[in-house]
Amino acid sequence: MRRSAAHAGFSVPAYRVIGGLEVAGAAAAAVGPAVPPLGILTGAGLLLMPGCSWPAS
């Protein structure tokens, strides 16, 4: 994981937080069809994530 974090330009703790947020986003996306507002927010968040991490790479 250290190598992957360094390659992406993140510290290991930041890399773990990002991974946790991705897992939370996937879980929320699974629940999204049952709770439409959560699905909309999740979709927006998952679409924004690559754009927010792009400057670091």
Side-chain angles (χ1 to χ4, degrees):
M1 180 187 324
R2 289 180 183 174
R3 219 179 276 168
S4 297
H7 177 74
F10 294 107
S11 66
V12 173
Y15 199 71
R16 287 184 179 153
V17 168
I18 292 167
L21 291 172
E22 288 176 346
V23 170
V31 177
V35 185
L38 180 62
I40 292 167
L41 291 173
T42 300
L46 290 174
L47 285 173
L48 289 172
M49 190 182 306
C52 294
S53 63
W54 174 71
S57 58

